[in-house]
Short mmCIF file of all heavy atoms in Angstrom, two decimals:
data_model
loop_
_atom_site.label_atom_id
_atom_site.label_comp_id
_atom_site.label_asym_id
_atom_site.label_seq_id
_atom_site.Cartn_x
_atom_site.Cartn_y
_atom_site.Cartn_z
N LEU A 304 30.87 3.40 -0.89
CA LEU A 304 29.94 4.44 -0.43
C LEU A 304 28.55 4.26 -1.05
O LEU A 304 27.55 4.40 -0.37
CB LEU A 304 30.49 5.83 -0.79
CG LEU A 304 31.80 6.25 -0.12
CD1 LEU A 304 32.18 7.66 -0.55
CD2 LEU A 304 31.68 6.18 1.40
N LEU A 305 28.52 3.93 -2.33
CA LEU A 305 27.24 3.72 -2.99
C LEU A 305 26.53 2.48 -2.45
O LEU A 305 25.30 2.45 -2.36
CB LEU A 305 27.43 3.60 -4.51
CG LEU A 305 27.92 4.87 -5.21
CD1 LEU A 305 28.14 4.61 -6.70
CD2 LEU A 305 26.93 6.01 -5.01
N ASP A 306 27.31 1.47 -2.09
CA ASP A 306 26.71 0.28 -1.48
C ASP A 306 26.08 0.64 -0.13
O ASP A 306 24.99 0.16 0.20
CB ASP A 306 27.79 -0.80 -1.30
CG ASP A 306 27.18 -2.14 -0.91
OD1 ASP A 306 26.28 -2.61 -1.62
OD2 ASP A 306 27.59 -2.69 0.12
N GLY A 307 26.78 1.49 0.65
CA GLY A 307 26.21 1.96 1.91
C GLY A 307 24.99 2.83 1.68
O GLY A 307 24.04 2.79 2.46
N ALA A 308 25.00 3.60 0.58
CA ALA A 308 23.85 4.46 0.26
C ALA A 308 22.61 3.63 -0.03
O ALA A 308 21.48 4.09 0.21
CB ALA A 308 24.19 5.35 -0.93
N LYS A 309 22.78 2.40 -0.54
CA LYS A 309 21.62 1.53 -0.78
C LYS A 309 20.89 1.23 0.52
O LYS A 309 19.66 1.24 0.58
CB LYS A 309 22.08 0.23 -1.43
CG LYS A 309 22.60 0.38 -2.86
CD LYS A 309 23.06 -0.96 -3.41
CE LYS A 309 23.65 -0.82 -4.80
NZ LYS A 309 24.14 -2.13 -5.32
N THR A 310 21.66 0.97 1.58
CA THR A 310 21.04 0.72 2.89
C THR A 310 20.34 1.96 3.40
O THR A 310 19.22 1.90 3.93
CB THR A 310 22.10 0.27 3.91
OG1 THR A 310 22.75 -0.90 3.41
CG2 THR A 310 21.48 -0.02 5.26
N THR A 311 20.99 3.12 3.23
CA THR A 311 20.38 4.38 3.64
C THR A 311 19.05 4.60 2.92
O THR A 311 18.05 4.98 3.54
CB THR A 311 21.34 5.55 3.33
OG1 THR A 311 22.54 5.40 4.11
CG2 THR A 311 20.70 6.89 3.66
N LEU A 312 19.03 4.36 1.61
CA LEU A 312 17.80 4.54 0.83
C LEU A 312 16.74 3.52 1.21
O LEU A 312 15.54 3.84 1.22
CB LEU A 312 18.12 4.44 -0.66
CG LEU A 312 18.90 5.62 -1.26
CD1 LEU A 312 19.29 5.32 -2.70
CD2 LEU A 312 18.08 6.90 -1.19
N LEU A 313 17.16 2.30 1.54
CA LEU A 313 16.20 1.27 1.94
C LEU A 313 15.49 1.69 3.23
O LEU A 313 14.26 1.60 3.33
CB LEU A 313 16.92 -0.06 2.14
CG LEU A 313 16.05 -1.22 2.66
CD1 LEU A 313 14.95 -1.56 1.66
CD2 LEU A 313 16.92 -2.45 2.95
N VAL A 314 16.26 2.14 4.21
CA VAL A 314 15.68 2.61 5.48
C VAL A 314 14.75 3.78 5.23
O VAL A 314 13.65 3.86 5.77
CB VAL A 314 16.79 2.99 6.48
CG1 VAL A 314 16.20 3.64 7.73
CG2 VAL A 314 17.61 1.76 6.86
N PHE A 315 15.18 4.69 4.37
CA PHE A 315 14.39 5.88 4.06
C PHE A 315 13.05 5.50 3.42
O PHE A 315 11.98 5.95 3.85
CB PHE A 315 15.18 6.79 3.13
CG PHE A 315 14.39 7.93 2.55
CD1 PHE A 315 14.12 9.06 3.31
CD2 PHE A 315 13.90 7.86 1.25
CE1 PHE A 315 13.37 10.10 2.78
CE2 PHE A 315 13.15 8.89 0.72
CZ PHE A 315 12.89 10.02 1.48
N VAL A 316 13.10 4.66 2.38
CA VAL A 316 11.88 4.32 1.62
C VAL A 316 10.91 3.53 2.49
O VAL A 316 9.71 3.85 2.54
CB VAL A 316 12.25 3.54 0.35
CG1 VAL A 316 10.99 2.99 -0.32
CG2 VAL A 316 13.01 4.42 -0.62
N VAL A 317 11.40 2.51 3.19
CA VAL A 317 10.50 1.69 4.01
C VAL A 317 9.87 2.52 5.11
O VAL A 317 8.66 2.42 5.38
CB VAL A 317 11.27 0.49 4.62
CG1 VAL A 317 10.41 -0.25 5.63
CG2 VAL A 317 11.72 -0.47 3.52
N LEU A 445 14.55 12.68 7.89
CA LEU A 445 14.65 11.23 7.84
C LEU A 445 15.89 10.79 7.08
O LEU A 445 16.55 9.81 7.48
CB LEU A 445 13.38 10.66 7.18
CG LEU A 445 13.37 9.15 6.90
CD1 LEU A 445 13.60 8.36 8.18
CD2 LEU A 445 12.05 8.75 6.25
N VAL A 446 16.22 11.48 6.00
CA VAL A 446 17.44 11.15 5.25
C VAL A 446 18.66 11.22 6.16
O VAL A 446 19.51 10.33 6.17
CB VAL A 446 17.62 12.10 4.05
CG1 VAL A 446 18.95 11.84 3.36
CG2 VAL A 446 16.48 11.92 3.05
N LYS A 447 18.72 12.28 6.96
CA LYS A 447 19.87 12.45 7.85
C LYS A 447 19.83 11.50 9.04
O LYS A 447 20.87 10.97 9.46
CB LYS A 447 19.94 13.91 8.32
CG LYS A 447 20.19 14.90 7.17
CD LYS A 447 20.21 16.33 7.64
CE LYS A 447 18.85 16.83 8.02
NZ LYS A 447 18.83 18.26 8.39
N ASP A 448 18.64 11.28 9.58
CA ASP A 448 18.51 10.38 10.74
C ASP A 448 18.85 8.94 10.39
O ASP A 448 19.18 8.15 11.28
CB ASP A 448 17.09 10.44 11.30
CG ASP A 448 16.86 11.67 12.16
OD1 ASP A 448 17.86 12.35 12.50
OD2 ASP A 448 15.70 11.96 12.51
N SER A 449 18.75 8.59 9.11
CA SER A 449 19.06 7.22 8.71
C SER A 449 20.50 6.84 9.06
O SER A 449 20.82 5.65 9.16
CB SER A 449 18.81 7.03 7.21
OG SER A 449 19.68 7.85 6.46
N SER A 450 21.35 7.84 9.26
CA SER A 450 22.74 7.55 9.64
C SER A 450 22.85 6.93 11.02
O SER A 450 23.90 6.36 11.37
CB SER A 450 23.58 8.83 9.58
OG SER A 450 23.10 9.78 10.53
N VAL A 452 21.63 4.29 12.05
CA VAL A 452 21.65 2.82 12.03
C VAL A 452 23.04 2.27 12.30
O VAL A 452 23.20 1.09 12.59
CB VAL A 452 21.11 2.27 10.69
CG1 VAL A 452 19.70 2.76 10.45
CG2 VAL A 452 22.02 2.65 9.53
N ILE A 457 25.13 -1.61 11.24
CA ILE A 457 24.65 -1.77 9.86
C ILE A 457 25.48 -0.88 8.94
O ILE A 457 25.75 0.28 9.25
CB ILE A 457 23.16 -1.41 9.77
CG1 ILE A 457 22.34 -2.41 10.59
CG2 ILE A 457 22.69 -1.41 8.32
CD1 ILE A 457 20.87 -2.09 10.68
N GLY A 458 25.87 -1.44 7.80
CA GLY A 458 26.75 -0.73 6.89
C GLY A 458 26.02 0.27 6.01
O GLY A 458 25.74 -0.01 4.84
N ASP A 459 25.72 1.44 6.56
CA ASP A 459 25.06 2.47 5.77
C ASP A 459 26.10 3.40 5.15
O ASP A 459 27.30 3.15 5.21
CB ASP A 459 24.08 3.26 6.65
CG ASP A 459 24.79 4.17 7.64
OD1 ASP A 459 25.80 3.71 8.22
OD2 ASP A 459 24.36 5.32 7.82
N LEU A 460 25.63 4.49 4.56
CA LEU A 460 26.51 5.44 3.88
C LEU A 460 27.53 6.05 4.82
O LEU A 460 28.74 6.08 4.52
CB LEU A 460 25.66 6.54 3.23
CG LEU A 460 26.40 7.71 2.57
CD1 LEU A 460 27.32 7.21 1.47
CD2 LEU A 460 25.39 8.72 2.02
N LEU A 461 27.09 6.54 5.97
CA LEU A 461 28.01 7.19 6.90
C LEU A 461 29.05 6.22 7.44
O LEU A 461 30.23 6.56 7.57
CB LEU A 461 27.23 7.83 8.06
CG LEU A 461 28.06 8.59 9.10
CD1 LEU A 461 28.84 9.71 8.44
CD2 LEU A 461 27.18 9.14 10.20
N ARG A 462 28.63 5.02 7.77
CA ARG A 462 29.57 4.02 8.29
C ARG A 462 30.63 3.67 7.24
O ARG A 462 31.81 3.53 7.56
CB ARG A 462 28.82 2.75 8.72
CG ARG A 462 29.70 1.75 9.46
CD ARG A 462 28.84 0.69 10.13
NE ARG A 462 29.63 -0.19 10.97
CZ ARG A 462 30.13 -1.34 10.59
NH1 ARG A 462 29.92 -1.77 9.35
NH2 ARG A 462 30.85 -2.08 11.41
N ILE A 483 26.77 13.24 -1.17
CA ILE A 483 25.66 12.33 -1.47
C ILE A 483 24.42 12.72 -0.67
O ILE A 483 23.30 12.76 -1.20
CB ILE A 483 26.06 10.87 -1.17
CG1 ILE A 483 27.16 10.43 -2.15
CG2 ILE A 483 24.85 9.94 -1.29
CD1 ILE A 483 27.75 9.07 -1.86
N TYR A 484 24.60 13.04 0.63
CA TYR A 484 23.47 13.48 1.45
C TYR A 484 22.86 14.77 0.88
O TYR A 484 21.63 14.92 0.82
CB TYR A 484 23.90 13.70 2.90
CG TYR A 484 23.90 12.46 3.75
CD1 TYR A 484 25.06 11.99 4.33
CD2 TYR A 484 22.72 11.75 3.99
CE1 TYR A 484 25.08 10.85 5.12
CE2 TYR A 484 22.71 10.62 4.77
CZ TYR A 484 23.90 10.16 5.34
OH TYR A 484 23.89 9.03 6.11
N LEU A 487 20.80 13.98 -2.19
CA LEU A 487 19.51 13.37 -1.83
C LEU A 487 18.53 14.41 -1.32
O LEU A 487 17.35 14.43 -1.72
CB LEU A 487 19.73 12.28 -0.77
CG LEU A 487 20.46 11.02 -1.22
CD1 LEU A 487 20.72 10.10 -0.03
CD2 LEU A 487 19.65 10.28 -2.29
#
Side-chain angles (χ1 to χ4, degrees):
L304 296 182
L305 293 177
D306 191 54
K309 292 179 183 178
T310 302
T311 297
L312 289 173
L313 176 63
V314 173
F315 170 79
V316 171
V317 172
L445 174 57
V446 174
K447 296 178 288 184
D448 281 348
S449 63
S450 63
V452 302
I457 295 174
D459 72 318
L460 174 59
L461 182 59
R462 189 167 187 265
I483 294 173
Y484 276 118
L487 291 174

